[in-house]
Amino acid sequence: MSLLECRGLTKKWGALVAVSKVDIAVSAGEVVALIGPNGAGKSTVFDLIAGTTQKTSGTVAFRNEHVEGLSAAALTRRGMGRTYQITSLFPSLTVLENVRLAVQSCEPRRAYPLFSRLLLERTTEEALKWLHRVRLREHANTLAGLLSHGDQRLTEIAVALAMNPKLLLLDEPTQGMSVEETRGTVELLKSLLKDTDMAVLLVEHDLEVVFGLAHRIVVLDRGRKIADGLPAAVRADPGVQQAYLGAGHVAH
Ligand SMILES: Nc1ncnc2c1ncn2[C@@H]1O[C@H](COP(=O)(O)OP(=O)(O)OP(=O)(O)O)[C@@H](O)[C@H]1O
Ligand SMILES: [Mg+2]
């Protein structure tokens, strides 16, 4: 059984079928990219999985449990982490404080009295560990709002990782990054994923990022799944090429 198993996912907005009978499965340790032309339904699929949009029909099972109707917070507690397409940090808190909040949110409530020195020390240490891993240790005391855009996105990844997800939903992690920042982020994600069984579902327009990271690629076009396979097979698929070219652009 897969870690995440979506069957027949369907979302209608009035007469528009944004997502039509889509099956997606993600196994532990797997990196799956969800790609497709503009308007294909990628963000909608993401929101249906993360529980932020109500589906019309279909099922979502996560860790062998049907999770329809659970809140985003409940899904996080069950091990589904996500980053948002639009930066979601607290800009007037430091980078460390942002990550520490995420660590604290996972602490068992009764382990320490609230605000105890021990809790603070432990969660600070854990947050610094994650900042070190995304190479932002030296920015720990910078206000998040003052970081470069690329470093804000990396901080968001650290925030998501600090909650120890089994599945990480990454929403265009390199959007708005420079070419160098994008390459650095791909390398960083590769190294983060090397020794873990965390799975990743990635929505990404940058095909260099997709082919650099994904073990498997799912292609959507006008709400339907038109391909699902190994990167080389998907790249060579005439239907996929047609979907991109037919939409008037190669993914930007
Ligand atoms: N809240 C909404 N109300 C009505 N229609 C919507 C809504 N959200 C999305 N849609 C429509 O659903 C379809 C799929 O949109 P979605 O945002 O999932 O596509 P996408 O693949 O993420 O596209 P992009 O690459 O541009 O981000 C589009 O036709 C879009 O206009
Ligand atoms: Mg989108």
Side-chain angles (χ1 to χ4, degrees), residues 130 133-134 157 161 188-196:
W130 287 113
R133 295 204 67 184
V134 300
I157 291 174
L161 291 174
L188 180 70
L189 286 170
K190 270 190 187 162
S191 74
L192 285 171
L193 291 168
K194 213 164 51 191
D195 305 311
T196 166

Side-chain angles (χ1 to χ4, degrees), residues 115-132:
F115 303 126
S116 82
R117 175 178 289 273
L118 200 57
L119 176 64
L120 190 67
E121 279 173 6
R122 225 186 78 137
T123 52
T124 299
E125 196 180 311
E126 178 80 3
L128 286 171
K129 183 191 85 181
W130 287 113
L131 285 177
H132 179 71

